[in-house]
Amino acid sequence: MDAVAVIESDVRDLIRRSALDPVVDAVEIRRVIRDAVADYDDRSISGALPRLPDLDAAAKSILDAVAGFGPLQQYFDDPAVEEIWINEPTRVFVARNGIAELTPTILTTAGVRDLVEKMLRTSGRRVDLSSPFVDAVLVDGSRLHVVIPDITREHWVVNIRKFVAKADHLDDLVRLGTITPQASRFLEAAVVSGLNILVAGGTQAGKTTLLNCLSAAIPPRERIVTAEEVFELKIPQRDVASMQCRQPSLEGTGEVPLRRLVKEALRMRPSRIIVGEVRQAESLDLLIALNSGLPGMATLHANSAREAVVKMCTLPLLAGENVSSRFVVPTVASSIDLVIHTALERDGVRRVREIAAIPGRCEGDVVEMADIFVRRGGELQRADGFPPHIERFDAAGYRLPELLAKGE
């Protein structure tokens, strides 16, 4: 057993005897580790024990193993790493600035299971044969997703999406090159004016970050209620009530789906409702809420603004056979005002590709759309369309023709 392993074993014994919690008692844990390393270094002077070449490195390694996530902690500490995933113990990947790379980290099968159990400890969620999938949020806000055999072929498959706060406001997205200053000013005005906004894109396209930045423009006196599968949104406002779904118990009871959360949100005096991601029948309840005059925002997986609208016309049909497209299509046309499509480009930069308006009209099963901003030649440029509800912009103190003037 090497020197670091010896000290780690001693530290774990001290933590158990002292009844310390690595999450709650982080300062005390650091002190225990620091004292244990210093004590070992003093005892090794006699030559009876192997020396530690670097005391700081040894203390960091022990801290990662005891209070962190072991070999993966270095990637949690790296601000450039956005996501960590494990396909098998010998294949650990990370995404840095949107680009995937295979790491030199080698784990064991038991080590992966121990890491997952440690990550789930504070979430109250579980993964086992009866529930082979799990979604959870770590203490630092990262999102964990795990799938186990026999759903996977052989190994536990783990995805950890870190919450890397590169942008909190629309101005930050301008700095990162996601949107142009004119598009930023327009979107801020649209949020303040109470337009209903749908953010669309693929995985890792920056939908949640964009939704967070849009929510920062909501007037501070408004009450915001959010509904999510797991907590991901970080709304920078003072009056926010957040809810997440709940897994069923071992007996199969107690599940709280997203559709229930959307319904409950309407009873919580919301000024705005925000749904983290629309996937299934909850889209119907969201449309009904938006159609009743309650402003809101949501995200959706789609490859374009047009496909996002088509999907919003399709998902509510999952709510039941009594829901028809004759009701859904006109409701989408009158409930959604703007669709923003964002994407992760090959260079690792997330960029808004288009901002489209829905004027409120439909022809048959096709919802009419108008491009406000489109990306041409690598630049997000002003198109010819205008958003609906110009009177709302006027009431909020914005001059829409000036906001959307070409050449700005």
Side-chain angles (χ1 to χ4, degrees):
M1 184 178 292
D2 63 16
V4 173
V6 171
I7 304 172
E8 181 184 330
S9 177
D10 293 341
V11 166
R12 290 186 184 276
D13 287 340
L14 286 170
I15 291 173
R16 279 193 291 269
R17 290 200 300 269
S18 304
L20 295 175
D21 187 326
V23 176
V24 178
D25 305 311
V27 175
E28 185 65 16
I29 294 289
R30 290 177 183 273
R31 186 194 63 76
V32 169
I33 293 173
R34 186 172 60 250
D35 292 347
V37 170
D39 178 67
Y40 180 93
D41 187 55
D42 291 341
R43 290 187 288 127
S44 66
I45 294 176
S46 64
L49 295 171
R51 297 294 303 273
L52 286 170
D54 188 333
L55 300 187
D56 291 338
K60 178 67 169 63
S61 175
I62 296 167
L63 180 65
D64 290 348
V66 173
F69 297 122
L72 298 185
Q73 188 60 43
Q74 58 182 312
Y75 307 122
F76 281 91
D77 296 337
D78 187 344
V81 172
E82 301 167 345
E83 191 163 0
I84 309 161
W85 63 98
I86 305 170
N87 291 344
E88 57 184 77
T90 59
R91 291 190 176 273
V92 179
F93 293 81
V94 299
R96 280 191 174 90
N97 299 316
I99 300 174
E101 59 183 69
L102 177 63
T103 71
T105 301
I106 303 295
L107 304 174
T108 64
T109 299
V112 173
R113 295 185 182 186
D114 290 343
L115 283 171
V116 170
E117 289 177 3
K118 192 172 188 178
M119 291 174 184
L120 290 175
R121 194 171 298 158
T122 58
S123 71
R125 302 197 174 195
R126 73 182 197 283
V127 61
D128 51 39
L129 290 177
S130 65
S131 180
F133 307 95
V134 68
D135 257 321
V137 177
L138 306 185
V139 175
D140 66 349
S142 300
R143 178 173 177 173
L144 170 70
H145 182 265
V146 182
V147 190
I148 66 173
D150 57 352
I151 302 301
T152 59
R153 183 184 298 273
E154 182 178 357
H155 301 286
W156 287 33
V157 176
V158 182
N159 281 76
I160 306 159
R161 184 175 298 179
K162 289 173 59 181
F163 183 76
V164 182
K166 292 184 178 180
D168 297 312
H169 298 81
L170 290 169
D171 290 341
D172 297 327
L173 295 181
V174 174
R175 174 178 50 83
L176 294 171
T178 301
I179 55 176
T180 61
Q182 184 184 19
S184 170
R185 292 192 295 270
F186 166 72
L187 290 177
E188 179 180 358
V191 172
V192 173
S193 302
L195 269 63
N196 297 325
I197 300 174
L198 187 63
V199 178
T203 57
Q204 282 294 300
K207 300 186 297 298
T208 301
T209 298
L210 180 53
L211 193 58
N212 280 330
C213 294
L214 289 170
S215 67
I218 296 174
R221 291 188 178 182
E222 296 193 11
R223 173 169 170 79
I224 304 165
V225 180
T226 71
E228 306 172 76
E229 290 281 353
V230 295
F231 292 128
E232 286 187 288
L233 294 171
K234 306 288 184 181
I235 308 295
Q237 297 288 2
R238 64 181 186 179
D239 190 356
V240 181
S242 302
M243 298 183 290
Q244 71 172 355
C245 299
R246 186 171 68 191
Q247 284 184 306
S249 65
L250 289 171
E251 294 78 22
T253 61
E255 181 181 12
V256 180
L258 188 57
R259 189 174 187 185
R260 173 71 181 275
L261 297 185
V262 175
K263 292 178 180 178
E264 295 299 325
L266 301 180
R267 302 184 175 100
M268 299 170 67
R269 196 186 178 277
S271 303
R272 306 262 179 158
I273 183 172
I274 299 178
V275 178
E277 186 172 332
V278 177
R279 296 176 184 268
Q280 301 180 51
E282 66 274 357
S283 57
L284 175 64
D285 302 278
L286 177 62
L287 284 176
I288 293 173
L290 300 180
N291 192 246
S292 67
L294 175 65
M297 295 184 281
T299 70
L300 181 75
H301 276 93
N303 292 324
S304 68
R306 166 58 66 182
E307 289 188 20
V309 172
V310 171
K311 196 169 184 178
M312 278 301 292
C313 292
T314 305
L315 289 178
L317 304 180
L318 300 174
E321 295 181 358
N322 59 329
V323 181
S324 70
S325 60
R326 292 179 59 189
F327 165 76
V328 172
V329 173
T331 304
V332 170
S334 61
S335 301
I336 307 295
D337 300 316
L338 293 178
V339 182
I340 308 169
H341 177 241
T342 182
L344 175 63
E345 307 289 1
R346 289 183 177 273
D347 58 2
V349 178
R350 293 161 177 84
R351 295 186 178 92
V352 169
R353 287 185 173 176
E354 58 180 320
I355 301 174
I358 301 179
R361 299 181 294 271
C362 60
E363 185 69 32
D365 289 338
V366 179
V367 176
E368 183 178 327
M369 299 180 66
D371 291 331
I372 300 178
F373 290 93
V374 294
R375 189 166 289 278
R376 298 192 187 102
E379 297 290 334
L380 190 64
Q381 300 178 4
R382 172 76 174 98
D384 297 324
F386 279 84
H389 311 300
I390 297 177
E391 71 283 355
R392 297 186 189 177
F393 287 89
D394 294 336
Y398 292 99
R399 295 282 299 163
L400 193 58
E402 295 176 4
L403 283 173
L404 295 178
K406 291 190 176 182
E408 281 288 315

